Amino acid sequence: HSVIDQSATPSALADGYGAYDEYLAPNGDRYTYQTGTNMLTGYSVHRVAGSSSPTLTQDQAIQAMSAYLEQFLGADHPYVFSKVEQDNGGSWYGVYRYLLDGQPTDDMAIIAIDSTGQLESFSTHRRGRYEKYQGISIDIQPLESQAIAQRDAYGWQEYDLLQAHITKNDAGQLVWSHQYWHWNTDTPWLVDQTYIQIPIQ
């Protein structure tokens, strides 16, 4: 492969995640690796658009995407299926999360396939970021209580706390993140996001 774009600026995060090298194969497929490593973080297929065929069922799509994930990362990969969506063109998108003490993190893998089940792309975000924390114990209840107390202190009792997950702050500390969403008729909008430091047990 030939290098077509190499990130020269590492992430501002303390652990340096966010910088990637991208490679272009002769057939037009693209590969991305975490900068300075051989860790594959993404792959996209170069394909000329053709006619579509009947859309897969959701179960068939999940089965196909899970099989592709195993091809890239092996049958013993650590990701757990999280959700699936389908766009208007019939393509399916599957999200797989890395769990820490049973809780979702922002280390995730995403598989996209077309309506026939052919691979469109594979990508990971913050792959391997939390492996060194495996085995720790996280008590979610006080973190949830603190998030609710913060919301109520703002006078946002009618806002929903959604998309809770483990991430890291700019100092590299583990934090429990929530998003505050407000529903205006049928349209939700993001109000704010909160980060509560997780005590390491």
Side-chain angles (χ1 to χ4, degrees):
H1 305 141
S2 58
V3 178
I4 60 174
D5 176 46
Q6 182 170 356
S7 176
T9 306
S11 167
L13 295 175
D15 56 12
Y17 273 79
Y20 303 98
D21 295 333
E22 187 175 66
Y23 299 83
L24 178 65
N27 65 355
D29 292 355
R30 293 173 183 265
Y31 299 78
T32 57
Y33 294 83
Q34 187 171 319
T35 294
T37 74
N38 62 355
M39 180 184 288
L40 180 69
T41 58
Y43 170 75
S44 62
V45 178
H46 174 71
R47 185 185 297 122
V48 178
S51 59
S52 60
S53 63
T55 300
L56 299 174
T57 66
Q58 180 171 296
D59 286 343
Q60 289 172 332
I62 294 172
Q63 184 177 7
M65 291 185 289
S66 296
Y68 281 123
L69 189 61
E70 288 192 9
Q71 288 183 27
F72 283 108
L73 302 180
D76 59 347
H77 69 77
Y79 293 97
V80 176
F81 174 76
S82 177
K83 67 176 182 178
V84 62
E85 296 178 352
Q86 186 180 29
D87 67 17
N88 292 333
S91 293
W92 292 91
Y93 301 87
V95 177
Y96 299 77
R97 294 265 191 173
Y98 184 89
L99 305 183
L100 194 57
D101 195 24
Q103 302 302 324
T105 71
D106 57 3
D107 176 354
M108 66 184 74
I110 301 173
I111 296 283
I113 60 175
D114 66 16
S115 61
T116 71
Q118 294 297 306
L119 179 69
E120 291 183 337
S121 65
F122 153 79
S123 62
T124 61
H125 302 269
R126 305 170 185 87
R127 182 181 169 194
R129 193 184 196 191
Y130 304 98
E131 289 180 352
K132 66 180 181 180
Y133 298 102
Q134 274 299 340
I136 70 170
S137 177
I138 301 174
D139 189 354
I140 292 299
Q141 187 55 50
L143 303 176
E144 288 285 298
S145 298
Q146 188 173 343
I148 293 172
Q150 287 184 359
R151 180 198 63 184
D152 293 349
Y154 294 148
W156 294 347
Q157 287 87 347
E158 74 277 18
Y159 296 170
D160 291 329
L161 286 170
L162 301 176
Q163 301 185 22
H165 64 276
I166 295 169
T167 183
K168 284 188 174 185
N169 58 22
D170 289 347
Q173 299 167 320
L174 287 182
V175 292
W176 183 241
S177 175
H178 280 90
Q179 292 181 347
Y180 297 126
W181 286 84
H182 177 61
W183 293 82
N184 184 6
T185 63
D186 293 330
T187 304
W189 51 280
L190 177 62
V191 178
D192 201 356
Q193 193 155 347
T194 184
Y195 303 94
I196 301 170
Q197 187 174 348
I198 298 173
I200 302 297
Q201 300 182 23

